Every structure is written in C-alpha cells, then in structure tokens.
Amino acid sequence: MKNSIAIKAQNISKSFHISQDSHNTVKHRLFNIFKPSGKKIVPAVKNMSLEIMQGECIGLLGRNGCGKSTLVKLLAGVYPTDSGHITINGSTMLMNLGVGMSHELTARENIYVSGSVLGLKIKEIDTIFDQIVEFAELEGFVDTKIKFYSSGMAARLGFSIAVNAGADIMFLDEIFAVGDAKFQEKAIRVFESSWINGKTVILVSHSMDVIQQYCTRAAFLKDGELKFFGDTQEAINLYLKDNEIASETTAPALQEAQAV
Amino acid sequence: MGVNTVRERVSSSNKLERIWLLAKIEYKLRYYENRLGLLWALIKPITDVLIFYVVFKTILKTDIPAFASYLFIGLILWNFFLESTSGTIQILYTKKYLYEYSNMNKMEIYISTLLSSSIGLFFNMIMFIFFYNFIESSTAGLGVHNLWIIPLFINLFILSLALSLILSSIYIFAKDITQIWQVFSIALFYLSPIFYRSELFQTALPAFDYLNPIAGIIINARRVMMQGVQLDFSLFLFDFGYALLFLLGGLLLLNKLGSKAAEKL
C-alpha cells in the first residue's frame, strides 16, 4: 500500500488565456469574428513531471504567482491539463478556507454530500456525523442553512468535514488559518494524529516551520517551473534564497521611492 | 487483482449512493423550499392542464376524446424535458461547489439532477394513471402495453441528458445559449402535438414527427398509455437513435468544454 503511486504527472503544462474583452456570448462572437481578441497567454505551469507516493506528505514552496495553486488544481483533477498526462489514484480534496459546500443546503445535508463526494458511504457518514458537528462546535445549528452562518462557522464546518471525512489525497492550501487559537490547536492535533499517518497530503504553505515539521519531501517552484523536488531542507533553502534575491532587487527601488 | 475488483465494486456502490443522495436533496430543494411544499409538485401539472383545457376545450371546442388526459400526459412529458434542459443550462455554475474542490465526475451531477426530475415525473405519471383510469369516462383500461412507457421514459431521459450536457457545456463559453434555447424550446413546444391532434400534425408537417424527437416520444406515450395500441416502432427507433447521437455529442462537448468549467465559470 505504502509504496504505490498516488499521483503520477508526466510533462504536464497549463497556460491561461486572458483576454481584455471576453467573448462570452454567441452574439459577441459573431460580431467580432474577424477582430483579434487581444489575448494574452500566461503560462502557469511549464512541463512538469512528478510522482507522489501514497502516504507521503509533500510540501509545495514558491513565491506568489509561481504556479502553486494551478499545480494543486491540476494534480487534484479540478483543472484539465493542456498537455501531458496525470494519473490520480483515489478521491482528492482541495482545501483552502472553504471546501465545497452549498450555501443553499443545511449543515446536515452538506456533511452528507461532502462526505459522499469524498468517497464515504452513507453508513460511514452516519457514524462520524456527530463527531463532525461536535468538532466544528456547531451543535445547535445542524439544520440551519450555510447561508445564515457566519464566515467563521462555515469555515469551521468545512474544516471539520475535511478533517473527519478526508479524501485519499488531500491538498491543503494554507489551512491553518481557520478559527480561533483553540480551534487551530485542535485542528493541528487531528492533522498530526490522522492525516500524517495514512493519507497522502500535499501541503501548500508559506510557513517554513509547518513544511519542515511535517513534509517528507518538498518541491520548489519558480515561474511555473519545477526547480527542485526532493529533500525538504534543500527546498526550503532554495525558497529562502529566492526570497532574499527578490528582496535585494526590490529594496533599492523601495529606498529610491522613499527618498522621493 | 482480487482486492482491486472488490475495491472497485465498493467505490461504484458509493457512486450510486451519492447519485441518489444528490437527487433526493435536489428534489427537496426544488419543492420543499416552497411554502406550498410537496403539494406544489402535484398542483403544477393540474394547473397546466386546466389552463390548456379552458383554452382549447371550452373556448376553441376541440374534439379530441379524453382531452384532459391527452393534455395531461403530453404536458408532464414536456415539462420533464423542459426542466431537464432549460432548467440545467447553468448546472455547472450552480453545482460548482461539487467539483471545484475534488475530482468528482461531472456526469454524476447531471444524472442526479435528472433523477430528481424523474422523481417528479414518476409522481405525475401515477397521478395521470389514476386520473385516466378512474376519473376519465371512456378509457382503454390498464394493460401490459402500458409497460412500454418504461423504454419511452429511458429514451426521454437519455435525450434530456444529452441536451443538458450540450447546452450546459456551451453555456461556459456562450452565456446567451440560455436565450437561444428558450426560443428553440418554444418552437419545439408548438411543433409537438401536445394540445392538438397528432394526425393534424402529421398531415400538416409530414415527417416532422421524425424530425422532432420529443414529438415522437409524446405520440408513442399516448399510444401505449391511452389508445391501448402498440408503439410506433420506427418512430421509437428513430427517437432512440436521436437520443444516442445527441448523447455522444454531449459527452464529447462535456469532455472538451465542460472540463474547463472550474476555471471559466
């Protein structure tokens, strides 16, 4: 089990077409058939190959705009790739502040829907239902629609579903920012006890402490390219060095601006 | 190998459970939310029938026998079709929360939504059978031939699913498909023998019952549910052919355009 591949990506790439005027209707498309649309192509992920084994905890490092989020969405199967091929073995879940919840549904319904999407059977959800509600500290609001929740309540529910149900492969994008200090502490405890041992986790974080503490391997991305994939410490060093270079180049400009 | 097949079976059973769960929730959202609740699901076809009955029987004096039942079955099939096509154009937008954070198969979203409409159709069909056989005065009675409604329903389901796939995939790149389809569906409605005689329709527009798949399904449904005769098999095969052809197109479009829903919508 441990040594089988969870995700295998071969030569994947993804670019976004950003145009000033959006051809969003048939009418618009017809009327502007010969007019160039002024498209800008932004390559977000350039020709990456990587393999992630089951049970691994992988860190993703890189500065803003380096393609981390795009890579995560590609690996989770949310975005299709432009080229290359991805094999995903198991259900995936992408998690940042909110996970897939409908605001039209009640907490109860959302727990069942999300749990089911994550690959659990109804009976299994029945058994962890109370646990999810209790963990989210939402005992009195089970049959309230999410749209009447405060943002903190919704975030706690999303987090609690993810923590207690969990997909085979979890993508965590800066997740340790949910709830108050007490809730965070609880979240980290569950993260450590159940996720690190057993599930495949891909962790995106700007906190080097978090990456260093949990990740078995880490990847360093820059400008849409996979610069390094392997030893966690090495990746962190590369990332820190990249940050220093960036601040050195921007520092004189900043000083000039301040002088003016 | 053995472990794999077992695991596959387990995951596929979870899939069925999930589709059914989503269908139930969708059905509840559609009707229970309303102040009239589930009653609305029953009142809707009756009011539809009533309106058309007043116009065509009371005012225009149509001579179709058992006209209320004639309308009833035509309208519930049409409403199912409309609900599953016009009603789902924005499905990839409204159900984004399901696929935005996971690798859930989008097909499940479509099937569950259509299944929830099917629950409605099922109740309506029971109402129709009750109405036709116990309230309508002269009827052909119940019989084995009524069972042909099942393949007809499957045909309608595939056709609606196919168009739903096509329309909602196009919606990602052309939002005004909503308006275009609205016009198109009005044309389909009036060019289907829903409130006038199928014979009139067939003589005035020959071969059009073969061009308009929903017309063929309604004609055949009346044959087996009201007239107590066999299916018109050539019509049935044609309609099934349409449905499968459209389904192929729909799947291609979902694969090509629909897969970009997460980044475009």
Side-chain angles (χ1 to χ4, degrees):
Chain A
M1 240 339 238
K2 273 267 149 117
N3 286 321
S4 48
I5 290 170
I7 300 178
K8 185 180 177 134
Q10 289 165 297
N11 302 322
I12 53 165
S13 66
K14 179 83 187 167
S15 43
F16 292 104
H17 299 254
I18 297 169
S19 61
Q20 258 72 43
D21 40 8
S22 57
H23 291 307
N24 255 343
T25 62
V26 173
K27 190 195 97 193
H28 206 263
R29 272 168 205 275
L30 282 179
F31 287 170
N32 295 291
I33 223 163
F34 298 111
K35 206 176 118 193
S37 60
K39 258 188 192 162
K40 219 167 76 181
I41 294 175
V42 182
V45 168
K46 298 173 195 161
N47 204 22
M48 283 187 199
S49 296
L50 57 130
E51 271 179 22
I52 294 168
M53 300 295 178
Q54 271 175 12
E56 269 194 307
C57 180
I58 304 287
L60 281 187
L61 296 168
R63 296 183 47 224
N64 289 335
C66 71
K68 290 192 302 284
S69 295
T70 309
L71 179 64
V72 160
K73 284 183 173 158
L74 289 174
L75 293 179
V78 174
Y79 285 178
T81 54
D82 287 346
S83 66
H85 188 71
I86 296 185
T87 319
I88 303 168
N89 294 318
S91 61
T92 65
M93 177 176 216
L94 210 157
M95 195 181 158
N96 31 38
L97 284 182
V99 289
M101 287 195 297
S102 166
H103 285 236
E104 285 303 317
L105 300 180
T106 63
R108 184 187 299 280
E109 289 160 343
N110 265 308
I111 290 172
Y112 277 94
V113 169
S114 300
S116 186
V117 169
L118 292 173
L120 294 180
K121 303 184 116 198
I122 305 289
K123 274 193 186 137
E124 293 171 313
I125 304 172
D126 287 337
T127 58
I128 58 166
F129 184 85
D130 291 335
Q131 201 180 319
I132 291 176
V133 175
E134 196 186 324
F135 188 91
E137 301 164 14
L138 291 170
E139 282 91 346
F141 307 95
V142 175
D143 291 303
T144 309
K145 287 188 177 190
I146 305 294
K147 65 179 171 190
F148 301 122
Y149 274 24
S150 71
S151 53
M153 286 161 84
R156 287 206 305 274
L157 177 62
F159 199 91
S160 178
I161 293 172
V163 164
N164 291 293
D168 302 333
I169 308 165
M170 307 284 298
F171 295 84
L172 312 177
D173 199 338
E174 294 288 4
I175 52 153
F176 293 110
V178 172
D180 54 23
K182 188 172 146 254
F183 186 80
Q184 278 178 22
E185 196 185 301
K186 208 163 70 172
I188 289 171
R189 241 194 343 264
V190 172
F191 177 80
E192 286 177 341
S193 67
S194 72
W195 288 1
I196 292 300
N197 307 311
K199 290 200 160 53
T200 310
V201 176
I202 289 91
L203 198 60
V204 177
S205 181
H206 288 288
S207 157
M208 290 308 113
D209 295 340
V210 170
I211 298 276
Q212 194 152 33
Q213 196 176 345
Y214 300 115
C215 295
T216 45
R217 288 195 293 163
F220 170 63
L221 277 72
K222 191 179 179 186
D223 300 330
E225 282 174 57
L226 183 63
K227 290 284 184 195
F228 176 80
F229 186 34
D231 181 55
T232 309
Q233 192 53 50
E234 180 80 26
I236 290 175
N237 290 343
L238 279 167
Y239 171 71
L240 292 176
K241 213 162 95 188
D242 185 44
N243 268 332
E244 270 169 33
I245 296 166
S247 54
E248 270 167 29
T249 48
T250 50
L254 259 175
Q255 279 169 1
E256 266 176 48
Q258 275 167 355
V260 173
Chain B
M1 190 66 195
V3 177
N4 258 346
T5 47
V6 168
R7 203 191 303 155
E8 263 167 36
R9 202 169 293 170
V10 168
S11 74
S12 78
S13 73
N14 164 269
K15 191 181 226 168
L16 290 180
E17 254 186 15
R18 174 161 62 233
I19 290 173
W20 183 237
L21 175 76
L22 289 171
K24 277 192 299 190
I25 288 179
E26 180 73 23
Y27 189 76
K28 196 195 130 211
L29 267 186
R30 199 170 302 167
Y31 293 116
Y32 289 37
E33 295 292 289
N34 220 290
R35 209 163 271 249
L36 279 174
L38 195 60
L39 203 60
W40 182 242
L42 306 176
I43 292 172
K44 174 85 169 59
I46 294 176
T47 52
D48 285 352
V49 168
L50 209 67
I51 294 165
F52 282 93
Y53 192 87
V54 167
V55 174
F56 290 96
K57 190 79 182 181
T58 317
I59 303 176
L60 290 171
K61 308 276 187 243
T62 177
D63 59 345
I64 298 173
F67 186 59
S69 304
Y70 187 88
L71 274 176
F72 202 143
I73 191 160
L75 282 171
I76 58 177
L77 293 174
W78 171 260
N79 280 337
F80 174 83
F81 177 73
L82 196 67
E83 208 171 84
S84 330
T85 52
S86 294
T88 59
I89 290 182
Q90 302 190 14
I91 189 172
L92 288 175
Y93 178 69
T94 53
K95 298 273 179 289
K96 200 176 177 189
Y97 75 95
L98 284 172
Y99 62 83
E100 200 178 16
Y101 296 99
S102 72
N103 59 346
M104 180 184 179
N105 189 345
K106 290 193 183 71
M107 216 35 208
E108 293 175 19
I109 302 174
Y110 287 90
I111 291 176
S112 62
T113 305
L114 253 75
L115 216 53
S116 98
S117 303
S118 305
I119 301 173
L121 181 62
F122 178 74
F123 284 133
N124 288 340
M125 203 43 106
I126 288 176
M127 278 168 67
F128 167 77
I129 291 170
F130 183 81
F131 182 84
Y132 180 67
N133 290 291
F134 298 107
I135 297 177
E136 198 76 71
S137 49
S138 59
T139 63
L142 291 165
V144 190
H145 52 267
N146 287 156
L147 289 176
W148 279 108
I149 197 70
I150 295 167
L152 282 172
F153 166 71
I154 293 170
N155 186 354
L156 180 64
F157 190 93
I158 297 174
L159 179 74
S160 309
L161 175 66
L163 286 168
S164 175
L165 286 169
I166 293 171
L167 293 168
S168 58
S169 297
I170 294 175
Y171 176 79
I172 301 169
F173 293 89
K175 301 278 182 292
D176 54 351
I177 189 72
T178 314
Q179 284 83 350
I180 294 169
W181 178 250
Q182 209 169 20
V183 173
F184 202 79
S185 60
I186 289 173
L188 274 183
F189 177 76
Y190 285 100
L191 294 176
S192 302
I194 290 169
F195 49 81
Y196 47 77
R197 271 179 188 281
S198 347
E199 296 83 42
L200 276 178
F201 172 74
Q202 277 155 334
T203 44
L205 295 165
F208 206 83
D209 46 351
Y210 284 90
L211 279 176
N212 176 356
I214 187 77
I217 291 171
I218 291 173
I219 289 171
N220 264 331
R222 284 196 187 120
R223 285 174 76 101
V224 299
M225 296 304 288
M226 291 179 65
Q227 292 149 10
V229 289
Q230 277 290 352
L231 281 181
D232 180 339
F233 276 100
S234 66
L235 196 57
F236 177 67
L237 287 179
F238 248 87
D239 293 339
F240 224 99
Y242 275 127
L244 292 178
L245 203 69
F246 280 134
L247 184 64
L248 194 68
L251 290 173
L252 284 175
L253 274 180
L254 180 70
N255 220 356
K256 193 109 184 80
L257 306 178
S259 59
K260 297 205 167 159
E263 55 189 283
K264 299 281 183 190
L265 282 176

